[in-house]
Amino acid sequence: SSELTQDPAVSVALGQTVRITCQGDSLRSYYASWYQQKPGQAPVLVIYGKNNRPSGIPDRFSGSSSGNTASLTITGAQAEDEADYYCNSRDSSGNHQEFGGGTKLTVL
Amino acid sequence: QVQLVQSGAEVKKPGASVKVSCKASGYTFTSYDINWVRQATGQGLEWMGWMNPNSGNTGYAQKFQGRVTMTRNTSISTAYMELSSLRSEDTAVYYCARESYYYGSGEMYWFDPWGQGTLVTVSS
């Protein structure tokens, strides 16, 4: 079982703001990275580090961290943001990686 | 552009082994670790392990120790993941991903890009 905990499902009205969280002890030592996965596709990096977006990721995606919790915020959610979102971090030992269980985002 | 291209789908019988390849292009293959992640149908992402293409050093998740082997061929910029003693529960899509890191005000690691995935089906 994952040591990174995510809510299984979250919903947001079109154009509104949604926050997806990830909790785990390892997040006190390591930044999380976030991945978006749409059905039948490979995961895509959306946020890494303190709050870094890869080229091509819209600026409505942002990240933050406090204590043992990392958050992914989508400001002004769009229909195309409907997807599964996974957080990832090194584990507490620092030697391995782990993923959260994933959050299914529904845009209403 | 930076790209990872994986080998095609496989169907294997229980007890057999499977070897998935991941060909890198657009960057220096030996400069970044390659990680392997799998995903069973309808399930989340599961990290399997990493390999340093320069040294060949590896690290595996406890769950796969003794069953997984990650190797590389630097002359063709290709990483491999071999999983043995297959069982039905190993049916999944297997992904390779390039790992980057940065040590600034804190340590950060990320996977980008990912391969397109390889479906491995284990069935008698």
Side-chain angles (χ1 to χ4, degrees), chain A residues 13-106:
Chain A
L14 184 68
Q16 295 304 301
T17 297
V18 63
R19 175 175 292 181
I20 298 170
T21 61
C22 174
Q23 288 189 300
D25 286 342
S26 63
L27 298 178
R28 297 184 185 279
S29 302
Y30 303 102
Y31 286 110
S33 54
W34 291 92
Y35 304 87
Q36 176 193 70
Q37 187 180 36
K38 296 181 180 180
Q41 298 183 18
V44 173
L45 175 71
V46 294
I47 290 289
Y48 66 98
K50 192 171 186 179
N51 182 19
N52 300 288
R53 278 178 292 105
S55 173
I57 300 301
D59 61 6
R60 63 179 179 270
F61 289 89
S62 63
S64 62
S65 182
S66 178
N68 73 336
T69 301
S71 300
L72 172 70
T73 299
I74 307 173
T75 303
Q78 302 299 303
E80 60 264 32
D81 300 334
E82 188 163 286
D84 294 327
Y85 291 85
Y86 294 91
C87 62
N88 159 254
S89 172
R90 285 278 169 130
D91 69 3
S92 297
S93 75
N95 296 321
H96 291 170
Q97 298 273 0
E98 57 186 356
F99 287 92
T103 297
K104 182 176 182 60
L105 176 66
T106 300

Side-chain angles (χ1 to χ4, degrees), chain B residues 5-73:
Chain B
V5 177
Q6 299 183 220
S7 48
E10 304 262 13
V11 179
K12 296 291 182 181
K13 293 193 181 303
S17 297
V18 68
K19 191 170 185 177
V20 179
S21 68
C22 170
K23 183 172 178 58
S25 61
Y27 72 98
T28 301
F29 176 62
T30 51
S31 294
Y32 297 82
D33 290 355
I34 293 289
N35 284 240
W36 291 87
V37 177
R38 78 176 186 180
Q39 184 174 39
T41 301
Q43 302 300 307
L45 301 174
E46 182 175 31
W47 181 77
M48 300 181 68
W50 62 269
M51 182 199 62
N52 181 301
N54 185 46
S55 64
N57 289 345
T58 56
Y60 305 137
Q62 179 84 7
K63 176 176 180 176
F64 300 102
Q65 287 274 3
R67 278 211 306 146
V68 70
T69 305
M70 296 176 186
T71 57
R72 87 291 192 209
N73 182 333

